[in-house]
Amino acid sequence: MEEAIGLNIEGVKKRIYHGGTGDLPKFITGSKVTFHFQTLKCDSDKTVIDDSKKVGVPMEIIIGNMFKLEVWETLLASMRIGEVAEFWCDVTHTGLYPLVSKSLRRIAEGKDPTDWHMHTCGLANMFAYHTLGYEDLDELQKEPQPLIFIIELLKVESPSMYKRETWALNNDEKLKAVPVLHGEGNRLFKLGRYEDATNKYREALICLKNVQTKEKPWEVPWMKLEKMINTLILNYCQCLLRMEEYYEVLEHTTDLIQHHPGLVKAYFLRAKANAEVWNETEAKKDFEKVVDLDPTMSRQVKKEIRMLEMRMQEKEEEEKLKYKNLFS
């Protein structure tokens, strides 16, 4: 292993374990860089925090796309294909690592890294709940410290060499992608492919939420994006109803109503979800609110209430029969 070498950046030291091949790649804006990484503490045991090889999926970042941990772009730009190197970085470069790690872990667990259904940003959520959801990351968040990154550079692709996914787009490109994803979600919904439709709606929501974080809350540009987000969440909830995910519908619609109490469709979908889980009183309250907000829906609401009362009556008769047989 070579001695530590400088990278012309304060607070970073590099040691090469295995030299790569060829010339330094061209790390131009928009290039996709694929690499494996291991993150370690600087303690006596070199405690491993994250390891992409254990997850089984290499890391990908897009150069110039404002990745939270900016120092990684600098580290990667010093490497050749196939090179394995260790980088020591002081706390000025590692402060945001717990947030980055949380997102990567959520992706590995098959969860949404952006928590798009929440109406506050990731930092606000962190301070509200005092936790990132992982004990070791909470500790690292409270006491920032230098970290060691062991990186193996696998490949560098120019923007023309790969199809960029929505997370890799800039803000303008994300906004252009939203109506396409929205339309595709609607088409899949009509075909009865509800799970596929939710994926399209979710992807569009992530694009909008990422753009919205750059705007000031409740100002005109932010509100325009919020209106688009609300529409997509309601479409998403319609899919969930068809998929019989009633409690998730209740969660999302309740969140929407708390922030936007005039959304008729949110009350209507929540009423239907409440009806499906036998919350008759809550369902009727929501149906009444729908009519208060939009009297033109009274006919449809009356039909829904009749269906609910019939189902409740059938349920009551079934329960009476069950208890009768039990004690006969």
Side-chain angles (χ1 to χ4, degrees):
M1 184 169 71
E2 293 183 9
E3 289 300 311
I5 56 177
L7 291 181
N8 294 322
I9 177 169
E10 190 175 346
V12 176
K13 296 175 184 176
K14 175 181 179 180
R15 293 179 185 272
I16 298 175
Y17 286 112
H18 176 72
T21 57
D23 298 328
L24 280 173
K26 293 182 179 179
F27 293 86
I28 62 174
T29 299
S31 295
K32 181 165 76 171
V33 185
T34 305
F35 59 98
H36 273 299
F37 76 95
Q38 194 178 47
T39 306
L40 305 93
K41 289 185 177 181
C42 295
D43 55 17
S44 57
D45 296 325
K46 293 284 184 75
T47 305
V48 177
I49 301 172
D50 292 303
D51 188 339
S52 64
K53 287 189 177 180
K54 284 188 177 179
V55 173
V57 181
M59 179 70 183
E60 294 177 348
I61 66 171
I62 305 299
I63 297 297
N65 208 35
M66 294 192 298
F67 183 67
K68 283 179 183 174
L69 206 64
E70 293 180 17
V71 73
W72 272 10
E73 285 193 17
T74 304
L75 308 184
L76 290 162
S78 74
M79 301 179 71
R80 292 176 167 80
I81 303 299
E83 181 179 324
V84 180
E86 174 189 294
F87 298 90
W88 176 91
C89 299
D90 70 17
V91 291
T92 60
H93 302 293
T94 62
L96 286 177
Y97 185 77
L99 289 173
V100 172
S101 179
K102 175 189 174 181
S103 296
L104 298 179
R105 291 182 188 187
R106 286 182 64 83
I107 292 169
E109 293 165 5
K111 298 175 182 176
D112 178 8
T114 59
D115 289 326
W116 57 260
H117 62 279
M118 301 299 288
H119 281 258
T120 51
C121 70
L123 282 170
N125 283 332
M126 182 185 74
F127 292 124
Y129 297 102
H130 307 290
T131 181
L132 292 171
Y134 303 92
E135 192 174 333
D136 61 334
L137 298 184
D138 287 340
E139 180 189 336
L140 202 59
Q141 185 73 39
K142 289 174 186 173
E143 298 180 18
Q145 55 193 269
L147 295 173
I148 294 169
F149 301 112
I150 298 175
I151 297 177
E152 178 185 359
L153 181 58
L154 301 177
K155 60 181 176 178
V156 179
E157 299 170 273
S158 67
S160 61
M161 290 173 65
Y162 68 95
K163 180 183 176 182
R164 284 193 289 171
E165 296 181 35
T166 50
W167 64 266
L169 305 177
N170 62 37
N171 285 354
D172 288 338
E173 291 168 331
K174 283 174 183 171
L175 289 174
K176 288 176 183 176
V178 167
V180 177
L181 292 166
H182 192 165
E184 185 64 9
N186 291 348
R187 185 184 71 82
L188 291 166
F189 179 85
K190 289 176 183 176
L191 292 172
R193 293 168 57 184
Y194 305 121
E195 189 169 350
D196 292 334
T198 61
N199 290 333
K200 295 297 179 182
Y201 292 142
R202 187 186 292 111
E203 197 174 348
L205 280 161
I206 290 170
C207 285
L208 288 173
K209 278 291 185 182
N210 285 339
V211 175
Q212 193 186 42
T213 57
K214 312 294 192 306
E215 304 292 345
K216 289 185 178 179
W218 305 107
E219 291 193 357
V220 173
W222 189 94
M223 286 300 297
K224 285 182 178 178
L225 293 167
E226 184 76 353
K227 188 175 180 180
M228 295 166 68
I229 287 166
N230 292 342
T231 300
L232 282 163
I233 293 175
L234 291 169
N235 286 11
Y236 181 83
C237 286
Q238 280 188 296
C239 292
L240 293 176
L241 268 178
R242 299 296 181 91
M243 294 161 64
E244 300 183 1
E245 299 288 348
Y246 305 125
Y247 290 103
E248 193 174 347
V249 174
L250 291 173
E251 178 189 346
H252 292 310
T253 51
T254 299
D255 186 53
L256 277 176
I257 288 165
Q258 285 175 350
H259 292 86
H260 305 282
L263 282 175
V264 179
K265 192 173 180 180
Y267 283 103
F268 187 76
L269 293 177
R270 189 170 74 170
K272 287 180 72 69
N274 271 315
E276 291 293 343
V277 296
W278 309 106
N279 290 337
E280 182 181 12
T281 303
E282 295 303 317
K284 285 184 174 180
K285 278 184 186 177
D286 282 337
F287 279 134
E288 288 170 6
K289 187 66 176 178
V290 169
V291 177
D292 287 342
L293 292 170
D294 185 358
T296 63
M297 291 191 68
S298 59
R299 192 172 182 180
Q300 188 176 356
V301 165
K302 285 178 182 176
K303 182 181 176 182
E304 293 286 347
I305 290 175
R306 280 198 304 270
M307 289 172 59
L308 171 60
E309 288 174 343
M310 286 174 61
R311 289 180 66 236
M312 294 302 297
Q313 191 174 355
E314 287 172 3
K315 183 173 182 281
E316 189 177 336
E317 292 297 326
E318 286 175 8
E319 287 177 350
K320 281 181 182 178
L321 185 61
K322 183 167 65 176
Y323 287 119
K324 184 180 178 181
N325 293 336
L326 187 64
F327 293 105
S328 62

